[in-house]
Amino acid sequence: MAAPCFLIYFIFSASCLVDGQPPKYALKGGWGFLKPDIAGHPDGILWKYNGNKVVEFNGNEQQEFSPYHSRIILNWVSAELNISELRFEDSGDYELEVHINKALHRSFHKLEVIDLVPRPSISCELMDGGGSNVSAELLCSAAPGRPRAGVAFEWRTRGDVRRGPRLHIPLGGDYDDDVYSCNVSNLLSSKEATFPAKDCYPGTLSLRRLNLSLTSLLESL
Ligand SMILES: *[C@@H]1O[C@H](CO)[C@@H](O)[C@H](O)[C@H]1NC(C)=O
Ligand SMILES: *[C@@H]1O[C@H](CO)[C@@H](O)[C@H](O)[C@H]1NC(C)=O
Ligand SMILES: *[C@@H]1O[C@H](CO)[C@@H](O)[C@H](O)[C@H]1NC(C)=O
Ligand SMILES: *[C@@H]1O[C@H](CO)[C@@H](O)[C@H](O)[C@H]1NC(C)=O
């Protein structure tokens, strides 16, 4: 009975690893580190990517395979794999086979190579509420990098924080002196851009704005 139980346990634990292993994120051009959990001194190590060999250690020496040639550091004791000069094509499923005391141990690892988030740009659309009620909508946008999803936008002004790419802002009076900053971030990087509220007034409208403040000045007298 021992053998089938062992087999079931092995299949179960192996498939658990496939499903349960969270992807490891790394920046394009940087390095990615895959860290298996093994105990004992390996007699042999084989890392594979999509079924193709990445690096193989036979107990005495290691052999590296294209396109990983001279981009990897393999730890012969821990089987940890460090891949440098990462490319998007390095994203995917890695499989490790380790021989320890003539027993084969398999594990599965996921690597996801992503871009630095691009610098955002901010645009403003005036919304005329009539009378002296002027407001605007700011839109923060960033050129689509990789990944397209998983990019978060955050607005800040005077210590106030709002999530999302759009922000409705009040204008007029002291509000025109406010400065808004938009922070775009993904899992590994972030960039920021700022926008003064007064830049919402295009050239022709600054006359109207001057008139507004003149009108309110006259009203307050
Ligand atoms: C991976 O290798 C790079 C250089 O190629 C090194 O700077 C980095 O510290 C290594 N990472 C780990 C976790 O050893
Ligand atoms: C001012 O304008 C905004 C948007 O145009 C509107 O939501 C708001 O209700 C207006 N407020 C007043 C007091 O008219
Ligand atoms: C932008 O947001 C990220 C994620 O919330 C944060 O780690 C980073 O410090 C922020 N950067 C600035 C300049 O606020
Ligand atoms: C200034 O405001 C007044 C009253 O609100 C309006 O009648 C006038 O046309 C405005 N002038 C300009 C140049 O916008």
Side-chain angles (χ1 to χ4, degrees):
M1 276 315 280
C5 278
F6 174 75
L7 192 64
I8 288 166
Y9 171 76
F10 181 77
I11 291 167
F12 183 69
S13 58
S15 63
C16 274
L17 273 174
V18 180
D19 300 335
Q21 195 74 236
K24 179 91 196 190
Y25 290 94
L27 283 176
K28 180 177 182 276
W31 48 268
F33 193 64
L34 299 178
K35 190 176 164 56
D37 189 15
I38 62 164
H41 204 112
D43 306 314
I45 302 168
L46 173 62
W47 275 100
K48 291 196 280 189
Y49 171 75
N50 283 347
N52 301 316
K53 288 182 179 182
V54 171
V55 60
E56 189 166 22
F57 170 64
N58 65 8
N60 293 312
E61 55 182 16
Q62 77 179 43
Q63 192 182 355
E64 297 162 9
F65 297 86
S66 170
Y68 295 93
H69 220 283
S70 70
R71 287 204 291 139
I72 47 181
I73 301 168
L74 174 68
N75 186 312
W76 293 352
V77 177
S78 63
E80 291 163 343
L81 180 65
N82 185 350
I83 310 172
S84 61
E85 292 161 55
L86 282 175
R87 311 155 181 185
F88 289 135
E89 303 84 76
D90 296 333
S91 293
D93 297 314
Y94 288 78
E95 185 184 344
L96 170 67
E97 291 177 12
V98 186
H99 288 270
I100 300 171
N101 294 330
K102 304 203 162 48
L104 173 65
H105 301 268
R106 262 204 180 86
S107 61
F108 300 87
H109 306 260
K110 222 182 209 342
L111 181 67
E112 200 65 57
V113 181
I114 69 174
D115 241 343
L116 283 171
V117 88
R119 184 163 296 284
S121 62
I122 300 172
S123 62
C124 176
E125 194 187 333
L126 272 178
M127 301 164 92
D128 199 337
S132 59
N133 178 12
V134 188
S135 65
E137 189 175 70
L138 298 182
L139 175 63
C140 185
S141 46
R146 194 171 152 152
R148 280 163 189 277
V151 175
F153 294 87
E154 208 173 73
W155 284 103
R156 272 168 216 273
T157 185
R158 300 193 202 186
D160 191 25
V161 181
R162 295 282 169 82
R163 296 194 179 283
R166 290 173 189 279
L167 183 71
H168 191 221
I169 63 164
L171 289 175
D174 289 348
Y175 289 127
D176 291 352
D177 298 326
D178 282 345
V179 174
Y180 294 84
S181 59
C182 171
N183 176 351
V184 190
S185 59
N186 65 15
L187 284 159
L188 299 175
S189 66
S190 73
K191 292 233 173 70
E192 203 180 53
T194 57
F195 192 87
K198 59 179 180 318
D199 282 9
C200 280
Y201 300 106
T204 52
L205 265 161
S206 45
L207 194 63
R208 186 180 176 282
R209 184 184 158 227
L210 185 69
N211 191 14
L212 268 178
S213 35
L214 261 178
T215 316
S216 45
L217 181 72
L218 288 172
E219 276 167 2
S220 67
L221 286 175

